[in-house]
Amino acid sequence: GAALCRVCGCLGPRCCGRCRRAAYCGPEHQALDWRRGHRRSCGQHAAGDDSADAIPEHNEFLFPEYEILIEPEEPESPADSTDDEQGAEDTSKDVKEQEELGAAGIAALQSLDEETLEAMAKHETEEEKIFQMFKKQVAAEPEQIIRYCRGGEGPLWVSGENRPEEKDIPNCVCGAKRIFEFQIMPQLLNHLQVDSLGESIDWGTLVVYTCADSCGGGNEYLEEFIWKQDYSMGCT
């Protein structure tokens, strides 16, 4: 298989110039691993010590590992439809309450013309509808981290903004078009415990497009295309 970085587990095209055994994604992780113990294990390997093959743990970088279970999505049942109707009523009430609250603050928007106000209201309503649909789908499978549907139904968008057009998705290196294959859901962030990194990592959904002709050999890693969509500013 492909060599993977000893620190983060990503593809590691760079290797230690001394032992030629340790792989890294780049010079930053190579330097970090050198300071964290590879300096010693690299010397042991040069001296013929088999224990040098042991990979040091870097728990502050490596994400926890899980098994991904693949299951078909259950079709909607009549009971779900009843719940949907109730949910639609609740959503209608929420929209009505929001409209009432919005009416109370009209005085603050007196400086805006009627056309601008109507455009803003329509945009917010559409965004809310899209986000509510996303939340409904997620609620049905709250542990789902990947939605796979190659060549079929498109991705489940979290917002009406920042969606790719056909021209935004580059063709594969073989010349064939790339098509939607799967999307990574935001629930994955909870499992990865990204808060421990001390850095901000967030997304609404990550949509992966792959070669329509499935080119490449069985043992090759091929570069594909990913589209990151964040939550709309209007979503809560």
Side-chain angles (χ1 to χ4, degrees), residues 28 78 101 107 111 114 120 134 139 169 185 195 212 227 231:
E28 293 83 3
L101 289 172
S111 59
E114 186 176 346
M120 289 174 61
F134 181 83
I169 303 171
M185 306 297 283
D195 291 341
W227 185 273
Y231 290 99

Side-chain angles (χ1 to χ4, degrees), residues 40-219:
R40 182 180 66 258
S41 62
C42 185
Q44 291 173 347
H45 182 77
D49 188 342
D50 293 337
S51 65
D53 289 338
I55 300 177
E57 294 184 357
H58 295 289
N59 293 327
E60 67 270 36
F61 288 99
L62 292 177
F63 292 123
E65 295 184 8
Y66 298 94
E67 179 184 6
I68 299 178
L69 300 179
I70 303 174
E71 298 176 347
E73 197 167 56
E74 294 294 332
E76 209 175 83
S77 65
D80 294 333
S81 301
T82 304
D83 293 338
D84 293 343
E85 291 174 3
Q86 181 62 43
E89 291 178 8
D90 294 340
T91 301
S92 178
K93 291 178 182 177
D94 292 340
V95 172
K96 186 176 180 180
E97 288 176 2
Q98 289 178 9
E99 289 176 350
E100 291 173 354
L101 289 172
I106 284 180
L109 301 174
Q110 290 290 341
S111 59
L112 297 177
D113 59 75
E114 186 176 346
E115 184 177 345
T116 303
L117 287 171
E118 288 182 0
M120 289 174 61
K122 182 178 180 181
H123 175 73
E124 290 175 0
T125 303
E126 286 299 317
E127 277 299 301
E128 184 174 319
K129 187 184 300 182
I130 293 169
F131 187 60
Q132 290 298 331
M133 186 181 299
F134 181 83
K135 288 206 303 182
K136 172 190 168 186
Q137 201 75 30
V138 168
E141 297 290 344
E143 296 297 314
Q144 186 181 56
I145 60 170
I146 293 177
R147 288 179 59 85
Y148 184 92
C149 190
R150 177 176 168 84
E153 185 180 337
L156 180 64
W157 297 108
V158 71
S159 169
E161 301 174 352
N162 190 31
R163 294 189 186 185
E165 298 179 8
E166 188 174 348
K167 61 181 178 60
D168 296 321
I169 303 171
N171 290 341
C172 179
V173 291
C174 72
K177 286 187 176 182
R178 285 191 172 101
I179 59 174
F180 167 64
E181 180 161 352
F182 66 92
Q183 67 183 113
I184 302 173
M185 306 297 283
Q187 294 91 295
L188 181 61
L189 292 166
N190 297 328
H191 297 292
L192 294 182
Q193 304 169 17
V194 295
D195 291 341
S196 63
L197 297 179
E199 298 181 9
S200 176
I201 299 178
D202 194 20
W203 64 74
T205 186
L206 303 176
V207 184
V208 178
Y209 296 85
T210 61
C211 178
D213 292 343
S214 299
C215 69
N219 295 324

